[in-house]
Amino acid sequence: MTLALKRKTGVAELDEVSQRYPDVPRLIILKADVQRRGVHYTEAAIKLLDPARHQVTGTHIFGTRDGVIALRPESLLLRDGSSIITTPTPLDENPYVVDALDNVPWLFDRGMPLEEVEYWPAPEFYSKTSSSGVPMKNIVSTRPQRLNIFPYRYCTFWNNGNGCAFCDIVAQMKKGGKELNIPAKLDPVEVGEVIGEALKEQGRFSAVFLTSGSIVSGARPFDDEIDYYIAILKEVGKHFRTAKYPSQLIGTAFEKSQLQRLYDQTGLMSYTANIEVLDETIFNRYCPGKAEWIGYQEWKQRLVDAVDVFGPGRVNTGIVAGVELAGPHGFSSEDEALERTLAEAEDLARQGVSTVYIVWSPRPDTPLSGCKNASLDYYIRLARGLHNLRLKYRLPIDHDGYRHCGNHPDTDLSRLLPLWGEKL
Ligand code: SF4
């Protein structure tokens, strides 16, 4: 390949960013870029997918970047064990390509093989059905080391159209119901039954994870959401010998008394309430349901209150990185977005709350479809910035790190670099 041709390719961009940040492992930079650009699976790559051995797409509460539900790998593993959680993307959006090379899946960019990848292995319980006859994989799904429970596939912020501008949960629920026969709301007892079956595969899973759409109803707003989580977590807890078990809930930002109830009555060990974007004006515009029911400043305060309940290093918030730059209402430059986002993240970090990011995938059934996400450079600078805040304020992120989650390039850095080490 000539230098002139190489300059035009994504490989060249990857090389340039890798050279600019020699302190960030190249596989993490590649992972962030695959999340940023998405993937396309060739027919040969799909032929390597064996539903008896591999996880196939299906049960997630959010949709894909090409808007299609089809037989494809759930996601990818890199040779260092890092998960790449990414989504099938139309070819005209310039995704990475997964193709077969010597009968093994590889990541390609514009015809150049970059890295061998693995499809996520299917757990043993995926071939079984629950006592009510539902395939167990439609009740509890998995990541390489985590059990996922998505118990409610709707979000009541959409009742009056105030769902988040990057969210396709409703479109995905309709597709999931029609094409996959996934229940919109799970029975807590049935969830417990499947967790019990999953845990028979010894040594496979390191944590239980629970998330759903927000439920505004109840004596106090969101009481019904809390009650539902408590019922599920109690059923899950029956399969552990200890009162607390490795677990994470991503829920709405609850009042302190609600959080205390959640903590006291279940085995839950960590709590995440995603603020989605760290700017009040953009939050009000892109997360109008959260703004209507809670508000930006109150959301932050509830995160800080949660540290009193769950303890330092057990509370964090997620942002959908890239939406802060989207459309006419976003920040006008990546420098400004980075500065403002990290300043807000630091305000939370000094009060014991970590911030993690996911790379925003603009999806078709959302109000922000058609917008672009940010540059690779931006995502690496953001990962370094958030990691450095955890170093500065001594905030462990194990509950949302590479092993339990695998969706945050910033927390991948905690795996490889000592938490109390030198700043990047
Ligand atoms: S809180 Fe926002 S992103 Fe989450 S499910 Fe509801 S509308 Fe979607």
Side-chain angles (χ1 to χ4, degrees):
M1 176 184 261
T2 66
L3 192 58
L5 180 58
K6 208 175 172 198
R7 274 210 188 95
K8 291 182 197 160
T9 68
V11 179
E13 187 187 3
L14 192 70
D15 287 344
E16 283 169 15
V17 174
S18 298
Q19 280 163 16
R20 251 198 306 284
Y21 305 104
D23 46 7
V24 179
R26 183 183 166 88
L27 285 181
I28 292 180
I29 296 175
L30 175 65
K31 164 182 173 158
D33 206 31
V34 177
Q35 292 180 312
R36 185 177 78 94
R37 287 170 48 193
V39 285
H40 169 79
Y41 294 98
T42 65
E43 273 182 34
I46 299 287
K47 276 193 188 141
L48 296 174
L49 181 68
D50 176 358
R53 288 193 303 120
H54 301 127
Q55 294 188 50
V56 299
T57 47
T59 54
H60 206 281
I61 54 175
F62 300 117
T64 58
R65 201 150 154 183
D66 62 6
V68 174
I69 290 180
L71 188 78
R72 294 180 289 201
E74 178 67 47
S75 234
L76 305 170
L77 271 172
L78 286 168
R79 63 187 147 93
D80 68 348
S82 298
S83 297
I84 307 180
I85 296 165
T86 186
T87 174
T89 300
L91 267 175
D92 60 8
E93 291 181 29
N94 186 31
Y96 283 84
V97 170
V98 180
D99 201 355
L101 183 63
D102 295 334
N103 264 331
V104 172
W106 273 69
L107 267 177
F108 285 76
D109 192 17
R110 304 188 197 209
M112 293 239 328
L114 292 182
E115 278 290 332
E116 183 179 335
V117 287
E118 281 181 55
Y119 301 154
W120 289 1
E124 290 170 6
F125 75 90
Y126 265 31
S127 59
K128 299 181 177 162
T129 50
S130 73
S131 49
S132 74
V134 178
M136 285 193 175
K137 65 182 180 192
N138 286 359
I139 296 172
V140 175
S141 57
T142 70
R143 286 188 182 171
Q145 296 189 38
R146 179 174 97 174
L147 289 159
N148 282 333
I149 306 166
F150 303 129
Y152 184 51
R153 306 175 70 81
Y154 180 69
C155 175
T156 54
F157 290 151
W158 282 109
N159 285 353
N160 61 352
N162 274 348
C164 302
F166 43 83
C167 174
D168 60 359
I169 191 170
V170 179
Q172 181 69 358
M173 178 186 71
K174 289 179 183 159
K175 286 179 193 167
K178 270 194 219 137
E179 296 176 36
L180 297 167
N181 194 22
I182 299 176
K185 193 165 186 181
L186 299 178
D187 171 8
V189 174
E190 203 160 22
V191 171
E193 178 195 345
V194 179
I195 293 287
E197 190 62 36
L199 291 175
K200 289 179 183 166
E201 193 174 348
Q202 291 198 356
R204 170 70 195 263
F205 300 107
S206 60
V208 176
F209 170 86
L210 174 62
T211 194
S212 78
S214 289
I215 304 172
V216 297
S217 57
R220 303 275 313 151
F222 308 107
D223 265 354
D224 287 352
E225 187 179 337
I226 290 273
D227 289 343
Y228 187 44
Y229 293 150
I230 288 174
I232 292 167
L233 289 164
K234 278 185 170 173
E235 290 297 327
V236 172
K238 289 178 181 172
H239 299 281
F240 290 86
R241 285 192 290 269
T242 49
K244 293 285 174 192
Y245 51 88
S247 48
Q248 180 188 11
L249 167 73
I250 298 184
T252 310
F254 300 120
E255 292 174 1
K256 197 167 183 180
S257 60
Q258 293 173 318
L259 288 168
Q260 197 67 57
R261 203 152 59 85
L262 193 56
Y263 185 81
D264 291 345
Q265 295 183 23
T266 74
L268 186 64
M269 287 184 70
S270 67
Y271 169 70
T272 305
N274 290 339
I275 200 164
E276 319 289 11
V277 57
L278 282 170
D279 176 85
E280 185 161 6
T281 306
I282 303 173
F283 174 91
N284 289 342
R285 186 169 287 274
Y286 287 162
C287 307
K290 296 186 179 201
E292 176 188 0
W293 285 88
I294 296 170
Y296 183 80
Q297 297 301 338
E298 179 64 15
W299 195 286
K300 284 178 69 181
Q301 185 55 51
R302 292 182 184 191
L303 284 165
V304 173
D305 290 345
V307 178
D308 290 341
V309 177
F310 285 87
R314 300 267 180 212
V315 177
N316 65 331
T317 189
I319 57 172
V320 183
V323 299
E324 64 277 20
L325 286 149
H329 309 293
F331 292 118
S332 56
S333 77
E334 292 192 346
D335 284 345
E336 184 191 9
L338 198 68
E339 188 187 325
R340 298 274 291 278
T341 298
L342 290 177
E344 283 291 273
E346 178 150 20
D347 185 43
L348 288 167
R350 71 177 174 75
Q351 300 177 84
V353 178
S354 255
T355 299
V356 301
Y357 80 81
I358 60 165
V359 175
W360 174 42
S361 283
R363 295 194 295 265
D365 295 311
T366 66
L368 285 177
S369 68
C371 292
K372 298 259 179 273
N373 55 19
S375 71
L376 177 57
D377 210 83
Y378 180 77
Y379 287 114
I380 301 308
R381 290 164 75 199
L382 185 60
R384 295 165 92 242
L386 294 175
H387 176 72
N388 284 339
L389 287 175
R390 278 189 280 282
L391 291 183
K392 183 173 176 182
Y393 293 96
R394 305 211 156 208
L395 291 172
I397 194 66
D398 190 48
H399 72 276
D400 213 348
Y402 82 97
R403 188 194 306 273
H404 293 344
C405 179
N407 201 13
H408 313 296
D410 56 297
T411 68
D412 282 331
L413 294 174
S414 298
R415 166 192 181 182
L416 297 161
L417 304 166
L419 183 59
W420 319 130
E422 294 293 314
K423 228 177 130 198
L424 293 182

